[in-house]
Amino acid sequence: MAVAESSPRTAEAGRPTPTPADAPLKIVVDDLHVVYRLWITPPTQAAKGLSRIKVRRPIPQKREVRAIRGVSFVARQGEAIGVIGKNGAGKSTLMRAIAGLLPPAQGRVYAEGLPTLLGVNSALVKSLPGARNIELGLLALGLTPAEVAEKFDDIVEFSGIGDAVNLPMRSYSSGMGARLKFAIASSVPREILLIDEALATGDGEFLKRSAERIQRLRDEADTIFLVSHSMSSVKETCDRVIWLDDGLVIADGHPDDIIPEYEARFGLRTRKSRKDRRRKRRDRNQAESQGAGDEQDATDSSVEAEVADRSRRDDR
């Protein structure tokens, strides 16, 4: 496992505060392997005529997919850890293994507390209004009816869905649904919170509110894992990044050290690079337009000179 070594960092404005190096351990992942066992039916060749009668259905074959391969790391109390990687890297599998939802084929996961995977999908019903789903989600998280009533208004305000809280969830956009799920699941403090792609569809204002809430959870001595493809979300909310690729840990360190390398590896387009490319494209277009204009002016001048020369010859 590659670990990015860096000197102690101080808190920056608008950035998460660093976690003390001597903070208590909350999660220990030791040589974790997770294997999916699948039964796959091989494709058959198309049969014609009477040969179709003789064709037998192929026998399914067992296949093993090694989703996590020898992952090891520790997480301390108060840390907010971003987990990044391309699709299929094993991020969600790792979260489910830490939460105890997937058994390891090899290795162990030790937790000081109960890891909770963000997600109340099993308790939400799309045909019911958002208000009823808030009640069901909070009850599923173990709150009493009195606690549900106390947190209701805060969840509606935080999610920003407004009057749509009285509409069925099937009428919500993907962003509205994601914000409501995050608001419900993050309203209850947890010792170890695992957030999988919950911030992917939020706008800038929601990302800011989410970062503030995650910082508040960290201040309450929680350990947080955030899986996201949004590097801005990771930078705003996390003080550490684990980079997964093909079930392996590629790097583990501070976001300022890992994210630029990750973006360069996969050719990702950051906001700054997009602005730079647009400026270069605009300058290039302006230069081409100016060059075309100069060339046209030169052509017009040559034509006028030729016409004047002919006129002089005719006069003679």
Side-chain angles (χ1 to χ4, degrees):
M1 175 178 64
V3 179
E5 297 291 343
S6 59
S7 58
R9 300 176 184 263
T10 58
E12 301 177 8
R15 297 293 298 274
T17 56
T19 301
D22 58 348
L25 293 177
K26 298 295 291 185
I27 292 284
V28 176
V29 178
D30 182 22
D31 191 29
L32 179 65
H33 294 255
V34 177
V35 178
Y36 292 106
R37 293 175 175 84
L38 309 174
W39 291 94
I40 300 177
T41 302
T44 58
Q45 295 182 351
K48 298 181 179 180
L50 296 177
S51 60
R52 297 179 182 176
I53 302 176
K54 299 180 181 180
V55 175
R56 295 183 178 180
R57 182 174 299 178
I59 299 176
Q61 299 176 356
K62 186 178 181 180
R63 179 182 174 186
E64 291 187 350
V65 178
R66 305 180 66 83
I68 298 294
R69 302 184 293 163
V71 170
S72 298
F73 64 87
V74 298
R76 298 185 178 275
Q77 183 176 1
E79 278 191 308
I81 302 174
V83 183
I84 63 176
K86 60 182 181 180
N87 290 331
K91 306 183 297 297
S92 296
T93 299
L94 177 61
M95 295 299 99
R96 292 175 64 83
I98 293 176
L101 302 177
L102 288 177
Q106 180 181 331
R108 292 289 184 272
V109 177
Y110 303 95
E112 180 63 30
L114 179 63
T116 302
L117 181 63
L118 174 66
V120 289
N121 293 343
S122 59
L124 301 186
V125 182
K126 290 187 176 182
S127 61
L128 295 179
R132 183 55 178 162
N133 276 291
I134 292 175
E135 297 174 357
L136 293 176
L138 293 178
L139 291 173
L141 292 175
L143 272 64
T144 65
E147 292 172 332
V148 170
E150 181 181 351
K151 293 182 176 293
F152 184 89
D153 292 337
D154 177 66
I155 291 175
V156 174
E157 179 181 0
F158 182 83
S159 62
I161 61 176
D163 295 337
V165 70
N166 297 315
L167 299 177
M169 278 198 65
R170 63 167 172 262
S171 65
Y172 290 5
S173 66
S174 59
M176 293 172 63
R179 295 198 303 269
L180 181 59
K181 293 172 187 176
F182 177 82
I184 294 173
S186 62
S187 63
V188 181
R190 300 289 180 177
E191 291 184 71
I192 304 170
L193 183 60
L194 313 175
I195 307 173
D196 191 355
E197 292 291 353
L199 305 183
T201 56
D203 54 18
E205 183 181 356
F206 178 70
L207 291 177
K208 181 179 179 180
R209 296 200 304 269
S210 301
E212 293 173 352
R213 173 163 290 192
I214 290 178
Q215 182 62 42
R216 189 189 69 189
L217 294 174
R218 292 183 60 203
D219 294 340
E220 295 174 355
D222 289 331
T223 299
I224 297 174
F225 287 83
L226 171 63
V227 175
S228 179
H229 287 287
S230 172
M231 297 301 104
S232 60
S233 299
V234 174
K235 288 179 180 179
E236 288 293 331
T237 58
C238 302
D239 61 350
R240 177 182 168 190
V241 169
I242 295 177
W243 173 6
L244 286 180
D245 188 33
D246 197 21
L248 300 171
V249 174
I250 303 300
D252 181 354
H254 194 274
D256 292 340
D257 300 326
I258 306 300
I259 291 179
E261 182 181 354
Y262 173 78
E263 292 176 333
R265 169 79 173 273
F266 294 107
L268 298 180
R269 307 299 191 182
T270 61
R271 180 177 301 177
K272 182 177 183 299
S273 65
R274 288 196 297 269
K275 289 182 178 179
D276 292 340
R277 286 196 308 278
R278 284 197 294 266
R279 185 179 65 253
K280 291 179 180 178
R281 189 184 305 115
R282 183 172 60 252
D283 294 342
R284 184 173 63 251
N285 293 337
Q286 291 177 352
E288 291 176 353
S289 300
Q290 183 177 1
D294 294 341
E295 183 178 353
Q296 183 64 35
D297 292 342
T299 302
D300 295 342
S301 298
S302 64
V303 171
E304 291 175 357
E306 185 178 354
V307 171
D309 186 56
R310 287 180 180 178
S311 297
R312 285 194 300 269
R313 288 199 300 267
D314 293 340
D315 293 341
R316 292 175 184 174

